[in-house]
Amino acid sequence: MTATHTIALRIYRHGGPEVLTLEGAPLPPVGADQALVAQRIIGVNYIDIQHRSGRYPIAEFPAILGVEAVGVVQAVGAAVQGLSPGDQVAYIHVPIGAYAHARVMPAERLIQVPVEFDLPLIGTTINRALTAQYLVKDSFAVRPGCTVLVHAAMGGVGQLLVQWARALGARVLGTVGSSDKRQAALALGCEAVVLSTDADMVAQVRALTLGEGVHAVYDGIGGAMFDQSLHCLRPCGTLVSFGTPAGPIPPLDVFRLNQMGSLYVTSPSIFTFIKTRSELQRRSDEVFAALRDGTLKVAPPTLYPFAQAAQAHTDLQARRTTGSLGLQVG
Ligand SMILES: NC(=O)c1ccc[n+]([C@@H]2O[C@H](COP(=O)([O-])OP(=O)(O)OC[C@H]3O[C@@H](n4cnc5c(N)ncnc54)[C@H](OP(=O)(O)O)[C@@H]3O)[C@@H](O)[C@H]2O)c1
């Protein structure tokens, strides 16, 4: 017999952090190709805020937020192979539902976490690290000698992008939203750091490239930043628009890309790149290797008690955090 209920953070409507409600929630029985996971650490990602606020509408309420967690397998279905009770596993998954003490998951979406790794670190990093992996390898393939601009360089994804792009031989420029983040971004590997709030941010970036512009911009900010990012590019440069905390991307007349120098724009999603089990495993293995060989150095995450998820949301949304955030169960 496995448990029929868990403790979860559910929402009954879109809204601010106050809509998160701590309560009991039903746990479905474990199906033949599923596993029951006792969750230890749940990643808090910007997408959780977008689901909560309604920027990404939720079809059915009550809903449990969250796309990422680590935990320990408690039980597996009859058809599951290669996974046993006691295994440490991580996942990034939609439909949402990670903000809970326990969760029934499709077994093929669970990644075995090598025992040498710290569970809190993996539970708050696997989503962001898999994102950084496809962004530097696929969305714009970083190569030695190119110059890239990383916005929110001290953010969760931003820190990983800076390090991975540097390791691949790029010259990395960064932006941050406040001057207190500047030194840390330089220490992380940015050659120069510009304040994203400076009115002449684009001019500063262009000056740093002797007027040429950068080969690629990683823009996880969106809103009005999108247009500024286009203006930072050199001819044939690539704008990777992967996040929109500052608001939706304004409508784009594609012919402008022609006029601005044959530019490329892509708006990618992690879920495209980990759709199949083999892609998920291959990219996860690359992330584990990058953590192992020091390509990615990840500061200990900021952890909040499970019941204080609202505070984690408030801090992330207020741009007060650096690096990764998580909720600790128990
Ligand atoms: N497409 C994908 O596959 C994918 C996957 C994972 C994450 N993402 C996206 O990647 C981005 C980073 O995610 P994260 O979870 O690691 O968050 P994060 O970078 O730790 O936090 C967001 C950062 O964005 C900056 N920012 C600029 N304008 C902002 C605004 N108006 N409101 C809030 N923050 C603003 C802030 O840094 P400064 O103050 O330094 O500017 C803030 O710290 C998010 O947009 C997320 O949705 C996309």
Side-chain angles (χ1 to χ4, degrees), residues 108-109 130 273-286:
E108 67 156 21
R109 302 313 294 172
L130 283 166
F273 294 88
I274 58 168
K275 204 171 173 115
T276 64
R277 173 72 205 178
S278 61
E279 278 293 285
L280 174 65
Q281 192 62 59
R282 179 179 73 78
R283 293 178 191 277
S284 301
D285 289 345
E286 254 196 64

PDB file of all heavy atoms in Angstrom, residues 108-109 130 273-286:
ATOM      1  N   GLU A 108       9.933   7.337 -16.842  1.00  0.00           N
ATOM      2  CA  GLU A 108      10.894   7.682 -17.903  1.00  0.00           C
ATOM      3  C   GLU A 108      11.312   9.151 -17.855  1.00  0.00           C
ATOM      4  O   GLU A 108      12.232   9.556 -18.544  1.00  0.00           O
ATOM      5  CB  GLU A 108      10.348   7.333 -19.285  1.00  0.00           C
ATOM      6  CG  GLU A 108       9.169   8.154 -19.715  1.00  0.00           C
ATOM      7  CD  GLU A 108       9.040   8.209 -21.239  1.00  0.00           C
ATOM      8  OE1 GLU A 108       9.594   7.336 -21.905  1.00  0.00           O
ATOM      9  OE2 GLU A 108       8.391   9.161 -21.721  1.00  0.00           O
ATOM     10  N   ARG A 109      10.676   9.955 -17.018  1.00  0.00           N
ATOM     11  CA  ARG A 109      11.083  11.359 -16.877  1.00  0.00           C
ATOM     12  C   ARG A 109      12.007  11.561 -15.688  1.00  0.00           C
ATOM     13  O   ARG A 109      12.408  12.698 -15.384  1.00  0.00           O
ATOM     14  CB  ARG A 109       9.858  12.282 -16.746  1.00  0.00           C
ATOM     15  CG  ARG A 109       8.879  12.223 -17.898  1.00  0.00           C
ATOM     16  CD  ARG A 109       9.541  12.304 -19.265  1.00  0.00           C
ATOM     17  NE  ARG A 109      10.186  13.580 -19.536  1.00  0.00           N
ATOM     18  CZ  ARG A 109      10.954  13.817 -20.596  1.00  0.00           C
ATOM     19  NH1 ARG A 109      11.197  12.854 -21.471  1.00  0.00           N
ATOM     20  NH2 ARG A 109      11.511  14.989 -20.774  1.00  0.00           N
ATOM     21  N   LEU A 130      20.121  22.317 -17.441  1.00  0.00           N
ATOM     22  CA  LEU A 130      19.702  21.751 -18.734  1.00  0.00           C
ATOM     23  C   LEU A 130      19.347  22.879 -19.708  1.00  0.00           C
ATOM     24  O   LEU A 130      19.586  22.777 -20.908  1.00  0.00           O
ATOM     25  CB  LEU A 130      18.497  20.822 -18.535  1.00  0.00           C
ATOM     26  CG  LEU A 130      18.811  19.442 -17.952  1.00  0.00           C
ATOM     27  CD1 LEU A 130      17.532  18.744 -17.484  1.00  0.00           C
ATOM     28  CD2 LEU A 130      19.534  18.567 -18.990  1.00  0.00           C
ATOM     29  N   PHE A 273      13.799  20.361 -26.062  1.00  0.00           N
ATOM     30  CA  PHE A 273      15.133  19.766 -26.132  1.00  0.00           C
ATOM     31  C   PHE A 273      15.289  18.526 -25.248  1.00  0.00           C
ATOM     32  O   PHE A 273      16.294  17.833 -25.335  1.00  0.00           O
ATOM     33  CB  PHE A 273      16.186  20.840 -25.779  1.00  0.00           C
ATOM     34  CG  PHE A 273      16.235  21.945 -26.804  1.00  0.00           C
ATOM     35  CD1 PHE A 273      15.400  23.050 -26.705  1.00  0.00           C
ATOM     36  CD2 PHE A 273      17.073  21.854 -27.909  1.00  0.00           C
ATOM     37  CE1 PHE A 273      15.417  24.049 -27.668  1.00  0.00           C
ATOM     38  CE2 PHE A 273      17.096  22.848 -28.877  1.00  0.00           C
ATOM     39  CZ  PHE A 273      16.260  23.948 -28.759  1.00  0.00           C
ATOM     40  N   ILE A 274      14.310  18.285 -24.374  1.00  0.00           N
ATOM     41  CA  ILE A 274      14.381  17.071 -23.530  1.00  0.00           C
ATOM     42  C   ILE A 274      13.145  16.205 -23.739  1.00  0.00           C
ATOM     43  O   ILE A 274      12.723  15.476 -22.849  1.00  0.00           O
ATOM     44  CB  ILE A 274      14.554  17.430 -22.028  1.00  0.00           C
ATOM     45  CG1 ILE A 274      13.398  18.329 -21.553  1.00  0.00           C
ATOM     46  CG2 ILE A 274      15.903  18.058 -21.765  1.00  0.00           C
ATOM     47  CD1 ILE A 274      13.339  18.484 -20.042  1.00  0.00           C
ATOM     48  N   LYS A 275      12.577  16.320 -24.941  1.00  0.00           N
ATOM     49  CA  LYS A 275      11.304  15.645 -25.219  1.00  0.00           C
ATOM     50  C   LYS A 275      11.422  14.120 -25.121  1.00  0.00           C
ATOM     51  O   LYS A 275      10.553  13.453 -24.562  1.00  0.00           O
ATOM     52  CB  LYS A 275      10.840  16.037 -26.619  1.00  0.00           C
ATOM     53  CG  LYS A 275       9.360  15.908 -26.816  1.00  0.00           C
ATOM     54  CD  LYS A 275       8.952  16.519 -28.152  1.00  0.00           C
ATOM     55  CE  LYS A 275       7.511  16.218 -28.388  1.00  0.00           C
ATOM     56  NZ  LYS A 275       6.638  17.315 -28.423  1.00  0.00           N
ATOM     57  N   THR A 276      12.501  13.591 -25.661  1.00  0.00           N
ATOM     58  CA  THR A 276      12.640  12.127 -25.628  1.00  0.00           C
ATOM     59  C   THR A 276      13.527  11.722 -24.452  1.00  0.00           C
ATOM     60  O   THR A 276      14.340  12.501 -23.962  1.00  0.00           O
ATOM     61  CB  THR A 276      13.294  11.606 -26.923  1.00  0.00           C
ATOM     62  OG1 THR A 276      14.626  12.130 -26.998  1.00  0.00           O
ATOM     63  CG2 THR A 276      12.515  12.034 -28.157  1.00  0.00           C
ATOM     64  N   ARG A 277      13.360  10.471 -24.038  1.00  0.00           N
ATOM     65  CA  ARG A 277      14.165   9.950 -22.937  1.00  0.00           C
ATOM     66  C   ARG A 277      15.657  10.043 -23.271  1.00  0.00           C
ATOM     67  O   ARG A 277      16.486  10.406 -22.441  1.00  0.00           O
ATOM     68  CB  ARG A 277      13.771   8.489 -22.673  1.00  0.00           C
ATOM     69  CG  ARG A 277      14.636   7.779 -21.666  1.00  0.00           C
ATOM     70  CD  ARG A 277      14.390   8.268 -20.253  1.00  0.00           C
ATOM     71  NE  ARG A 277      15.546   8.056 -19.405  1.00  0.00           N
ATOM     72  CZ  ARG A 277      15.623   8.433 -18.132  1.00  0.00           C
ATOM     73  NH1 ARG A 277      14.625   9.059 -17.554  1.00  0.00           N
ATOM     74  NH2 ARG A 277      16.700   8.208 -17.436  1.00  0.00           N
ATOM     75  N   SER A 278      16.015   9.723 -24.529  1.00  0.00           N
ATOM     76  CA  SER A 278      17.444   9.720 -24.867  1.00  0.00           C
ATOM     77  C   SER A 278      18.022  11.137 -24.832  1.00  0.00           C
ATOM     78  O   SER A 278      19.142  11.350 -24.381  1.00  0.00           O
ATOM     79  CB  SER A 278      17.700   9.049 -26.213  1.00  0.00           C
ATOM     80  OG  SER A 278      17.020   9.742 -27.225  1.00  0.00           O
ATOM     81  N   GLU A 279      17.243  12.127 -25.288  1.00  0.00           N
ATOM     82  CA  GLU A 279      17.724  13.517 -25.219  1.00  0.00           C
ATOM     83  C   GLU A 279      17.860  13.965 -23.765  1.00  0.00           C
ATOM     84  O   GLU A 279      18.823  14.637 -23.392  1.00  0.00           O
ATOM     85  CB  GLU A 279      16.759  14.459 -25.950  1.00  0.00           C
ATOM     86  CG  GLU A 279      16.956  14.498 -27.439  1.00  0.00           C
ATOM     87  CD  GLU A 279      18.292  15.137 -27.825  1.00  0.00           C
ATOM     88  OE1 GLU A 279      18.423  16.368 -27.750  1.00  0.00           O
ATOM     89  OE2 GLU A 279      19.207  14.378 -28.185  1.00  0.00           O
ATOM     90  N   LEU A 280      16.866  13.601 -22.946  1.00  0.00           N
ATOM     91  CA  LEU A 280      16.908  13.969 -21.524  1.00  0.00           C
ATOM     92  C   LEU A 280      18.160  13.378 -20.872  1.00  0.00           C
ATOM     93  O   LEU A 280      18.883  14.062 -20.139  1.00  0.00           O
ATOM     94  CB  LEU A 280      15.646  13.456 -20.824  1.00  0.00           C
ATOM     95  CG  LEU A 280      15.587  13.635 -19.308  1.00  0.00           C
ATOM     96  CD1 LEU A 280      15.552  15.112 -18.933  1.00  0.00           C
ATOM     97  CD2 LEU A 280      14.356  12.920 -18.725  1.00  0.00           C
ATOM     98  N   GLN A 281      18.432  12.106 -21.165  1.00  0.00           N
ATOM     99  CA  GLN A 281      19.577  11.439 -20.542  1.00  0.00           C
ATOM    100  C   GLN A 281      20.893  12.025 -21.047  1.00  0.00           C
ATOM    101  O   GLN A 281      21.806  12.306 -20.262  1.00  0.00           O
ATOM    102  CB  GLN A 281      19.515   9.931 -20.846  1.00  0.00           C
ATOM    103  CG  GLN A 281      20.484   9.111 -20.023  1.00  0.00           C
ATOM    104  CD  GLN A 281      20.186   9.201 -18.523  1.00  0.00           C
ATOM    105  OE1 GLN A 281      19.105   8.852 -18.092  1.00  0.00           O
ATOM    106  NE2 GLN A 281      21.140   9.704 -17.732  1.00  0.00           N
ATOM    107  N   ARG A 282      20.992  12.223 -22.370  1.00  0.00           N
ATOM    108  CA  ARG A 282      22.247  12.750 -22.948  1.00  0.00           C
ATOM    109  C   ARG A 282      22.571  14.124 -22.376  1.00  0.00           C
ATOM    110  O   ARG A 282      23.693  14.399 -21.951  1.00  0.00           O
ATOM    111  CB  ARG A 282      22.105  12.843 -24.477  1.00  0.00           C
ATOM    112  CG  ARG A 282      23.334  13.393 -25.179  1.00  0.00           C
ATOM    113  CD  ARG A 282      23.159  13.448 -26.689  1.00  0.00           C
ATOM    114  NE  ARG A 282      22.264  14.485 -27.161  1.00  0.00           N
ATOM    115  CZ  ARG A 282      22.584  15.772 -27.263  1.00  0.00           C
ATOM    116  NH1 ARG A 282      23.787  16.182 -26.905  1.00  0.00           N
ATOM    117  NH2 ARG A 282      21.710  16.663 -27.723  1.00  0.00           N
ATOM    118  N   ARG A 283      21.562  14.978 -22.318  1.00  0.00           N
ATOM    119  CA  ARG A 283      21.810  16.356 -21.828  1.00  0.00           C
ATOM    120  C   ARG A 283      22.075  16.348 -20.319  1.00  0.00           C
ATOM    121  O   ARG A 283      22.904  17.117 -19.825  1.00  0.00           O
ATOM    122  CB  ARG A 283      20.645  17.264 -22.216  1.00  0.00           C
ATOM    123  CG  ARG A 283      20.546  17.473 -23.727  1.00  0.00           C
ATOM    124  CD  ARG A 283      19.345  18.336 -24.113  1.00  0.00           C
ATOM    125  NE  ARG A 283      19.114  18.320 -25.555  1.00  0.00           N
ATOM    126  CZ  ARG A 283      19.757  19.086 -26.445  1.00  0.00           C
ATOM    127  NH1 ARG A 283      20.652  19.957 -26.045  1.00  0.00           N
ATOM    128  NH2 ARG A 283      19.480  18.989 -27.729  1.00  0.00           N
ATOM    129  N   SER A 284      21.384  15.483 -19.579  1.00  0.00           N
ATOM    130  CA  SER A 284      21.640  15.390 -18.139  1.00  0.00           C
ATOM    131  C   SER A 284      23.073  14.912 -17.894  1.00  0.00           C
ATOM    132  O   SER A 284      23.767  15.430 -17.004  1.00  0.00           O
ATOM    133  CB  SER A 284      20.665  14.422 -17.476  1.00  0.00           C
ATOM    134  OG  SER A 284      19.353  14.838 -17.671  1.00  0.00           O
ATOM    135  N   ASP A 285      23.508  13.928 -18.683  1.00  0.00           N
ATOM    136  CA  ASP A 285      24.887  13.431 -18.524  1.00  0.00           C
ATOM    137  C   ASP A 285      25.884  14.570 -18.762  1.00  0.00           C
ATOM    138  O   ASP A 285      26.902  14.682 -18.070  1.00  0.00           O
ATOM    139  CB  ASP A 285      25.159  12.279 -19.498  1.00  0.00           C
ATOM    140  CG  ASP A 285      24.416  11.004 -19.099  1.00  0.00           C
ATOM    141  OD1 ASP A 285      23.941  10.932 -17.940  1.00  0.00           O
ATOM    142  OD2 ASP A 285      24.285  10.094 -19.947  1.00  0.00           O
ATOM    143  N   GLU A 286      25.581  15.429 -19.754  1.00  0.00           N
ATOM    144  CA  GLU A 286      26.480  16.569 -20.022  1.00  0.00           C
ATOM    145  C   GLU A 286      26.497  17.535 -18.847  1.00  0.00           C
ATOM    146  O   GLU A 286      27.523  18.104 -18.499  1.00  0.00           O
ATOM    147  CB  GLU A 286      26.012  17.316 -21.281  1.00  0.00           C
ATOM    148  CG  GLU A 286      26.899  17.052 -22.463  1.00  0.00           C
ATOM    149  CD  GLU A 286      26.703  18.055 -23.592  1.00  0.00           C
ATOM    150  OE1 GLU A 286      26.981  19.254 -23.410  1.00  0.00           O
ATOM    151  OE2 GLU A 286      26.260  17.608 -24.663  1.00  0.00           O
TER     152      GLU A 286
END
